Amino acid sequence: MAYENILVETRGGVGLITLNRPKALNALNSELMRELAAAIDGFEADRNVLCMVLTGSEKAFAAGADIKEMAARDFPDTYTTDYMSGLWERASTCRKPIIAAVAGYALGGGCELAMQCDFIIAADNAKVGQPEVNLGTIPGIGGSQRLTRAVGKSKAMDMILTARNMDAQEAERAGLVARVVPLASLMEETMKAAEKIASLSLPAILMAKEAVNRSFEVTLAEGVRFERRLFHSTFGVADRKEGMTAFAEKRKPNFIHK
Ligand code: DAK
């Protein structure tokens, strides 16, 4: 498929998607989100891809949903078409791991898209925020929920009600981003993390991701029970036996994703 708003490539077992609307600071419009969802579908179906990375440019991961595209819409239109559902949430329903590599602006829908990924590695020039109230609207792609779970109520309220941005260091302190690295090494560090994940057993990686995500949906007791059952099921996976045997034999494991 030919894409106009994103660049897609594979590097070993890593699928790399780069948002590419430089003139609009990667503002997210319907066409870009359709392409992003198609690219994720492609990587999900590709047995050779074991981890994905989503990134933007050095200036902007994404400066938000496309305000110019949104401006003319009205309530019946957005409500009846369930605007920004489905395709706009594709990164959050991805089964394989997906890392957001964020440099520059990740505002509004850009911050929400990064938060749909499993974790965020930020460059030291990153600026993240949910400034929708400046436009007379509110976050619409999960920002009020995911930001609050990531940084807690007080900071989420501060961000969403005052529309102020966090810099990379504050975002790391608050737990929104996993690590901050110099801009010049953002892709190198992110690819290192992605390659490490891609070198591991896919069933174990998928189960680990599913277990962490479950913690957002259920009570602690149910979450621990879910984790325990998945843990038990790794004992039915050949890679679990290989991983433990390789450790005992002081050699590298040879995972076959079965
Ligand atoms: N949408 C469309 N175009 C954008 C854009 C955006 N979000 N952000 C930047 N651009 C465009 C600019 O209009 C400009 O285009 P031209 O004028 O050259 O044609 C170009 O990108 C370069 O931007 P600037 O000239 O402004 O660049 P600066 O370096 O001076 O400033 C900036 C960078 C990021 C500070 C600034 O561009 C800015 O403030 N951008 C808007 C940031 C923002 O407000 N983001 C949140 C968007 S709202 C929902 C309801 C709401 C939402 C979602 C769902 N539902 C009801 C379902 C809201 C979502 C949002 O994300």
Side-chain angles (χ1 to χ4, degrees):
M1 175 168 177
Y3 298 113
E4 289 181 5
N5 301 282
I6 60 174
L7 305 172
V8 176
E9 63 180 289
T10 50
R11 294 188 192 171
V14 179
L16 174 61
I17 303 171
T18 305
L19 305 176
N20 188 34
R21 282 190 79 204
K23 287 184 185 153
L25 300 183
N26 293 331
L28 309 172
N29 63 11
S30 301
E31 193 46 40
L32 183 153
M33 295 309 283
R34 220 185 330 272
E35 292 182 4
L36 175 59
I40 293 174
D41 286 345
F43 285 149
E44 286 269 56
D46 185 339
R47 295 171 68 93
N48 298 317
V49 170
L50 301 161
C51 185
M52 298 173 217
V53 169
L54 177 60
T55 194
S57 70
E58 292 195 350
K59 178 155 188 202
F61 176 75
D66 190 318
I67 299 166
K68 295 161 191 172
E69 182 182 85
M70 276 189 292
R73 291 184 177 262
D74 60 19
F75 171 73
D77 169 42
T78 54
Y79 180 67
T80 56
T81 61
D82 207 6
Y83 183 49
M84 292 192 175
S85 298
L87 291 180
W88 288 75
E89 298 167 313
R90 183 62 185 92
S92 70
T93 61
C94 192
R95 293 194 71 221
K96 290 177 182 168
I98 179 164
I99 307 172
V102 171
Y105 296 110
L107 303 179
C111 183
E112 291 169 306
L113 178 59
M115 289 192 292
Q116 286 182 20
C117 297
D118 295 319
F119 62 96
I120 301 171
I121 299 182
D124 50 12
N125 75 336
K127 286 192 173 52
V128 299
Q130 298 288 160
E132 288 88 345
V133 289
N134 281 341
L135 304 167
T137 185
I138 70 167
I141 325 167
S144 64
Q145 308 302 301
R146 291 197 178 90
L147 185 66
T148 307
R149 281 165 172 75
V151 305
K153 176 185 164 184
S154 190
K155 200 173 272 286
M157 286 289 193
D158 179 11
M159 305 295 301
I160 290 170
L161 300 185
T162 71
R164 83 174 172 88
N165 296 339
M166 278 196 263
D167 64 20
Q169 286 69 27
E170 183 181 1
E172 185 186 29
R173 279 199 306 278
L176 177 60
V177 313
R179 347 177 176 164
V180 178
V181 298
L183 174 60
S185 52
L186 175 65
M187 289 319 293
E188 190 189 332
E189 292 297 324
T190 306
M191 287 305 293
K192 252 193 247 168
E195 281 157 9
K196 168 71 187 184
I197 292 168
S199 75
L200 300 171
S201 166
L202 184 62
I205 289 293
L206 295 185
M207 286 184 205
K209 171 170 170 166
E210 208 174 347
V212 173
N213 279 336
R214 192 73 165 191
S215 71
F216 291 103
E217 310 294 342
V218 299
T219 62
L220 177 61
E222 277 310 310
V224 170
R225 193 193 311 273
F226 183 76
E227 177 199 80
R228 186 80 23 85
R229 293 292 169 256
L230 284 178
F231 167 67
H232 291 157
S233 67
T234 65
F235 285 76
V237 176
D239 281 344
R240 193 278 318 161
K241 193 168 184 195
E242 167 63 8
M244 293 188 180
T245 305
F247 175 81
E249 294 175 355
K250 299 186 187 301
R251 62 172 173 82
K252 272 190 154 189
N254 177 30
F255 292 127
I256 57 169
H257 312 302
K258 286 190 175 150

